[in-house]
Amino acid sequence: MPDTRRIAGPENTQSPFAYVVNETTEAVTNGKRADGRAQKDHRPIYLKAGLLSQAKGSALGEFGQTKVVCAVYGPREVPRREDFSIQGQINCDVKFAPFSCRVRRQHVQDGQEKDLSAQLLEAVEPAVRLDTFPKSQVDIYVTVLENDGGVLSAAITCACLALADAGIEMYDLVVGCSARLHGDTVLMDPSEKEERLKTASGQKPGGELTVAFMPSLRQVSAICFHGDTDLELLTQASQLCQDTCQKLYQVVQATLITAIQNRMKAA
């Protein structure tokens, strides 16, 4: 008698990764990357503020195929008495949607998501005026809808855009940018495929760099790097990230202006 509670599936199955193109060690071919960009080019960016009506502030960011949505709630009372502070607090939570990655993610927050949450807090907190909401906290929830590389930098940009949309006082907006150091090559705003590039024999493994930058103040609020590379190449990549953040800053400002104009029309 067949088991009616079990989903009937094919007898023979094959992993979908069997159809994925094999990874190579070549980052740039004939001066172009796999998606046609130059080494210093950023992916196309789309930003929108005020997306969620239930949140105090919200933002949607599309960086190429990487899609991130952020919601901000508060300021509201700190729920636990032991967390009392005369200054305000920020709580960051980063979560991948189950369908966002090559391998299905679990609903329970894993180690990578906890690390991203801590890094997001480190990048955003220096830009927020915590003295304006004492004894209260602001909650930032970031959901990655699609992961195609550069998740941390996308989360930083969207989080600060959502904070500004919520009316939270800030010293400056924080813009994030990432770079992939592959041997002696610096790839700005890498895709997931470029983040998984294999290192050829004899080359240094390189690494991934993420810079959170406040363009008006010209200050770096946070920098995150993991890998192995030369200090000179790392300094060069950091400067390129800051220059790119300066360009993206204009897009963030224009998005905020558009959101304010739409609210004034709707009022």
Side-chain angles (χ1 to χ4, degrees):
M1 183 177 179
D3 188 355
T4 57
R5 294 176 297 179
R6 185 170 298 175
I7 299 176
E11 296 182 359
N12 299 323
T13 60
Q14 191 172 8
S15 172
F17 298 115
Y19 302 97
V20 177
V21 179
N22 294 331
E23 300 175 359
T24 64
T25 60
E26 294 297 330
V28 180
T29 304
N30 297 327
K32 296 291 184 180
R33 293 149 72 171
D35 54 4
R37 289 184 292 156
Q39 297 183 29
K40 299 181 181 180
D41 288 349
H42 196 281
R43 288 177 294 183
I45 178 176
Y46 170 79
L47 295 173
K48 183 176 181 180
L51 183 70
L52 306 176
S53 59
Q54 297 85 354
K56 184 72 176 296
S58 60
L60 169 68
E62 297 183 7
F63 301 78
Q65 295 300 318
T66 298
K67 299 177 178 62
V68 174
V69 62
C70 177
V72 172
Y73 300 90
R76 52 191 177 188
E77 185 181 356
V78 178
R80 297 187 297 275
R81 186 176 296 274
E82 58 267 19
D83 290 338
F84 171 81
S85 174
I86 192 62
Q87 285 201 340
Q89 302 179 26
I90 299 178
N91 176 47
C92 295
D93 185 274
V94 179
K95 190 75 181 70
F96 286 93
F99 50 82
S100 61
C101 302
R102 300 177 69 199
V103 179
R104 184 175 178 83
R105 306 298 291 252
Q106 300 298 322
H107 293 283
V108 180
Q109 194 177 41
D110 57 22
Q112 182 187 10
E113 292 167 333
K114 292 180 181 179
D115 290 341
L116 289 174
S117 301
Q119 292 166 3
L120 176 61
L121 176 61
E122 182 181 357
V124 171
E125 194 172 36
V128 180
R129 290 195 57 188
L130 301 177
D131 59 298
T132 58
F133 49 96
K135 307 177 186 178
S136 304
Q137 76 174 24
V138 171
D139 297 321
I140 302 174
Y141 296 96
V142 176
T143 302
V144 181
L145 303 178
E146 185 174 354
N147 177 20
D148 189 37
V151 170
L152 179 57
S153 58
I156 292 171
T157 303
C158 285
C160 287
L161 179 58
L163 284 170
D165 182 62
I168 304 298
E169 293 190 38
M170 306 171 67
Y171 297 106
D172 191 11
L173 294 171
V174 182
V175 182
C177 184
S178 59
R180 164 68 172 165
L181 281 64
H182 183 70
D184 296 331
T185 306
V186 178
L187 304 176
M188 298 301 301
D189 189 28
S191 63
E192 184 194 18
K193 187 176 294 184
E194 291 173 336
E195 289 180 347
R196 295 185 285 105
L197 282 173
K198 296 181 179 179
T199 305
S201 58
Q203 279 187 340
K204 288 190 176 181
E208 297 178 18
L209 172 69
T210 302
V211 175
F213 188 62
M214 294 184 283
S216 293
L217 301 178
R218 299 201 60 84
Q219 293 182 2
V220 175
S221 63
I223 185 168
C224 176
F225 175 76
H226 58 88
D228 181 16
T229 188
D230 296 328
L231 179 59
E232 182 179 354
L233 186 63
L234 182 61
T235 304
Q236 176 187 350
S238 176
Q239 186 60 50
L240 288 174
C241 286
Q242 295 178 38
D243 295 340
T244 304
C245 289
Q246 196 76 46
K247 299 176 182 178
L248 297 180
Y249 187 57
Q250 303 175 7
V251 181
V252 178
Q253 286 181 317
T255 303
L256 282 175
I257 293 174
T258 302
I260 294 173
Q261 291 174 345
N262 292 336
R263 287 184 177 180
M264 293 177 63
K265 292 179 181 178

